[in-house]
Amino acid sequence: MTAATITRPTLSDGLVAVVKRDCPTCALVAPVLADLADRLASTGQTLTVYTQDDPEFPPGVEGVDDLDLDVSYRLEIETVPTLLQIEAGAESARIVGWSRDEWRAFTGCEDLGEDLPEYRPGCGSLTLDPSRADELTVRFQGSTLRSRRVTLAALEDEMEALFDRGWTDGLPVVPPTPVRVLRMLEGTTRAPDEVVAMVPPDLVECTVEKVAINAVLAGCRPEYLPVVLAAVEAACTDDFNMHGLLATTYFSGPVVMVNGPITRAIGMNSGINALGQGNRANATIGRALQLTVRNVGGGVPGGVDRATLGNPGKYTFCFAEDEVGSPWESLSVERGFAADASTVTLFAGEGPRGVVDQLSRTPESLARSLALGLRGIAHPKLALAFDGVLVVSPEHARVFHEAGWTKARLRQEFDELLALDGTELARDAGGITEGMPEFLSGTTVPKFRDGGLLIVHAGGGAGLFSSIIGGWVSGSSGSQPTTLEIRP
Amino acid sequence: MTARNAPAPETVVLDPTAERKPAQRQLLERPGSLDGATIGLLDISKARGDVFLDRLEEQLVARGLRVERFRKPTFTKPAPIDLRHEISTKCDVVIEALAD
């Protein structure tokens, strides 16, 4: 959101100066302003001086009181003094601070400010003063917010009040005051009333503003908002099927994997403890998505969310791929996006599990270990119905890289290793009733459907471990991994 | 008004939901019948509140209902959280005596 929504004040033609007494440069130019007012008066032009902190200032000039900073804010004044040229009611030029040459050229008065130094920088406008800025933002932009205002009673503890209203995931949330939401909206160029998605299960229109409110609740910084918006949009596609993912009794929830330059720009973690706690961006982006689903969509555990056990990742599960340290093309590039694009990939995943292999030094041996782990997704005797994500750690990736294995080569190996014997998978085979239908006996059954295995690179530099995130019902009858480009 | 008596500032927050429910918290649904219910009687520690509650207890017990008695330490302050928790876990309904 930008200040474009704010109407400019009506100003009379001529020169306009904005000053404050508290600024030494303004005090320095005060005599110049008095001089200028006299000179202009003789030519029928006007100088209007708006003063931010003291209507008596500058002496000898009839200043206009801007104590409420209305004019200063609407003119987007950042520095005092600012001198503006107004023609036909509109600003045609402005200069800031004091530069003798600049002021002379701007005003056309060749001998202006003879006794003053050549140059003095200005001071910050009061509109930018931290004690005033928030109030001004709400005063001028608060009306752009459409959401219902909820007044918490004076005696309510605001943290408790938000729990009581059912707006949290069980952890405390940040109260979404108008000023916090306006600040959050600064993180995107999208209009607050733009509809991002229809959020299941209630299938209600969710605006950028509603996502921003939930991002505030979750603890996001404004620069995370574009990622949250893309994640909400991706989660609510028919392909990803957030409704089914909520309603299922299965463990899964939305896993957000982020690629591209934005991951570095906002400080996401793709290294040590990438799937764990401790990084604000990772933690709050995933949480903001889940809070949006809860609050806007109405997807509440015990309501439409029918998970038997769920998983801790349903609080938040979001991480970045380590692209810089990866020997391979990123998940996002594999999925058809440019290397410099920033994307989110949503995956309907359960909690991550570890695969230990500290001894393999050949790609063949390590691939076999990882394949055994992948085979275990959902059940070693079940195939095709569940996708998976393999998070390859740097030390495991190095084994493949040193042997010259590309990601495609590793995939080819997995295809072979995970071509399972239908007879072993059949119901009752191995003394286990669970399994695939009998008619698959004697055939070869791939563990994963085409495109059902996602491979990303993340983690700290030490540890011969990788991680597997099992999926939920895959494909058009369940959830498709969904990648969207992140827009500013 | 002195600063000491000034009301605590109100916080205004924006509704994060789809706004399908009223902003104010709603009362719980009233029970259709008291049959089989455990009834809490909360004495707020005001004078003679116990007289009123004793009489209520007699009448409720006479109707075959189960009664649990509770007492706030002082009428000047909200009930302590432990007491509220105890009442909510033991009782289906609660009657609070505001006596004077």
Side-chain angles (χ1 to χ4, degrees):
Chain A
M1 193 168 62
T2 66
T5 47
I6 299 160
T7 48
R8 288 285 172 129
T10 313
L11 300 169
S12 34
D13 284 359
L15 291 175
V16 168
V18 183
V19 297
K20 68 173 182 187
R21 173 187 281 280
D22 195 31
C23 159
T25 306
C26 293
L28 186 79
V29 303
V32 174
L33 290 169
D35 181 21
L36 198 55
D38 289 343
R39 294 192 199 206
L40 291 176
S42 63
T43 63
Q45 288 178 283
T46 58
L47 167 70
T48 316
V49 180
Y50 288 93
T51 163
Q52 296 184 334
D53 56 351
D54 181 359
E56 303 297 312
F57 180 82
V61 178
E62 200 170 328
V64 183
D65 159 6
D66 193 35
L67 294 181
D68 66 1
L69 302 177
D70 184 273
V71 170
S72 299
Y73 188 88
R74 293 197 284 146
L75 284 174
E76 295 178 78
I77 300 296
E78 294 184 346
T79 305
V80 284
T82 291
L83 195 58
L84 303 99
Q85 180 85 52
I86 308 297
E87 290 174 301
E91 176 186 337
S92 55
R94 73 166 68 186
I95 54 174
V96 299
W98 165 256
S99 154
R100 199 165 52 202
D101 291 346
E102 232 178 32
W103 277 60
R104 285 178 174 177
F106 199 80
T107 58
C109 302
E110 288 304 323
D111 53 349
L112 199 68
E114 224 30 280
D115 310 329
L116 267 57
E118 250 179 62
Y119 172 76
R120 283 286 182 277
C123 301
S125 163
L126 265 187
T127 47
L128 303 181
D129 189 289
S131 67
R132 304 289 297 273
D134 284 353
E135 180 267 322
L136 287 167
T137 309
V138 174
R139 192 193 326 156
F140 287 98
Q141 296 187 47
S143 64
T144 59
L145 300 173
R146 307 278 174 82
S147 294
R148 183 160 69 190
R149 263 78 172 165
V150 177
T151 304
L152 307 181
L155 291 178
E156 273 185 298
D157 178 291
E158 56 187 35
M159 295 299 181
E160 294 295 337
L162 303 186
F163 277 109
D164 288 347
R165 282 167 177 76
W167 296 346
T168 96
D169 49 15
L171 290 171
V173 287
V174 177
T177 56
V179 69
R180 288 192 177 120
V181 174
L182 286 167
R183 254 189 245 137
M184 183 61 66
L185 285 164
E186 292 292 327
T188 181
T189 56
R190 295 164 78 169
D193 59 355
E194 184 186 326
V195 174
V196 180
M198 304 287 280
V199 186
D202 292 348
L203 290 178
V204 272
E205 280 189 352
C206 179
T207 58
V208 168
E209 178 180 329
K210 284 292 179 192
V211 177
I213 296 173
N214 281 283
V216 170
L217 287 175
C220 291
R221 290 175 59 86
E223 56 266 37
Y224 309 164
L225 184 61
V227 188
V228 179
L229 287 166
V232 169
E233 201 175 332
C236 297
T237 55
D238 195 49
D239 269 356
F240 186 70
N241 188 13
M242 188 67 221
H243 187 115
L245 184 58
L246 270 171
T248 180
T249 47
Y250 205 62
F251 309 88
S252 305
V255 178
V256 183
M257 295 178 282
V258 190
N259 279 103
I262 199 166
T263 61
R264 270 101 55 197
I266 66 174
M268 289 191 73
N269 184 19
S270 62
I272 289 178
N273 204 39
L275 308 187
Q277 84 291 11
N279 176 278
R280 182 170 173 184
N282 291 26
T284 61
I285 291 168
R287 190 184 187 206
L289 166 62
Q290 283 288 63
L291 285 172
T292 303
V293 170
R294 175 191 179 91
N295 289 325
V296 182
V300 179
V304 172
D305 184 342
R306 308 303 298 179
T308 310
L309 288 163
N311 86 80
K314 289 174 78 175
Y315 281 105
T316 178
F317 196 164
C318 172
F319 65 98
E321 176 161 19
D322 170 25
E323 295 166 3
V324 176
S326 175
W328 297 323
E329 71 277 24
S330 71
L331 175 70
S332 160
V333 167
E334 251 194 310
R335 296 178 67 78
F337 291 83
D340 60 354
S342 291
T343 63
V344 289
T345 299
L346 272 276
F347 180 77
E350 56 179 21
R353 74 191 68 180
V355 181
V356 176
D357 187 331
Q358 299 184 301
L359 301 180
S360 291
R361 293 294 181 271
T362 65
E364 292 83 5
S365 169
L366 183 55
R368 280 182 208 117
S369 277
L370 297 175
L372 274 180
L374 289 166
R375 178 172 175 171
I377 287 178
H379 193 292
K381 285 183 63 191
L382 292 176
L384 285 169
F386 300 88
D387 293 344
V389 177
L390 175 65
V391 187
V392 182
S393 69
E395 285 211 305
H396 272 175
R398 197 183 60 213
V399 173
F400 295 117
H401 179 57
E402 283 176 355
W405 277 31
T406 61
K407 210 191 233 189
R409 173 70 186 86
L410 178 61
R411 284 186 176 285
Q412 185 194 331
E413 192 79 1
F414 282 147
D415 285 347
E416 288 165 23
L417 292 167
L418 292 166
L420 307 175
D421 175 358
T423 311
E424 283 179 24
L425 302 182
R427 290 170 188 163
D428 292 322
I432 299 168
T433 310
E434 182 60 270
M436 301 295 285
E438 185 60 37
F439 73 86
L440 292 169
S441 286
T443 67
T444 299
V445 184
K447 174 71 181 178
F448 297 108
R449 68 190 177 107
D450 249 1
L453 176 62
L454 283 61
I455 301 176
V456 296
H457 180 264
L464 284 149
F465 315 125
S466 286
S467 185
I468 288 168
I469 305 162
W472 172 56
V473 179
S474 61
S476 54
S477 55
S479 177
Q480 304 269 21
T482 302
T483 305
L484 282 186
E485 187 156 354
I486 297 165
R487 295 192 279 142
Chain B
M1 188 182 278
T2 65
R4 203 174 145 198
N5 292 331
E10 284 175 341
T11 302
V12 175
V13 294
L14 294 171
D15 192 330
T17 73
E19 303 182 15
R20 294 178 153 199
K21 291 181 187 153
Q24 298 304 315
R25 275 182 291 166
Q26 302 301 293
L27 292 172
L28 285 177
E29 222 171 282
R30 308 289 96 180
S33 142
L34 291 177
D35 287 350
T38 298
I39 300 176
L41 297 181
L42 175 61
D43 183 344
I44 68 165
S45 294
K46 265 211 155 182
R48 290 175 57 76
D50 54 342
V51 177
F52 175 61
L53 290 176
D54 287 348
R55 182 75 185 116
L56 267 184
E57 181 172 3
E58 273 172 37
Q59 297 208 358
L60 293 168
V61 171
R63 288 167 62 178
L65 297 167
R66 217 174 109 75
V67 171
E68 291 270 354
R69 295 289 291 262
F70 303 94
R71 187 180 165 88
K72 269 171 53 170
T74 166
F75 63 86
T76 61
K77 293 181 185 173
I81 188 151
D82 286 352
L83 181 61
R84 280 182 274 157
H85 181 71
E86 190 186 354
I87 294 172
S88 67
T89 51
K90 284 184 171 170
C91 305
D92 303 297
V93 294
V94 64
I95 299 172
E96 190 169 333
L98 298 168
D100 234 343

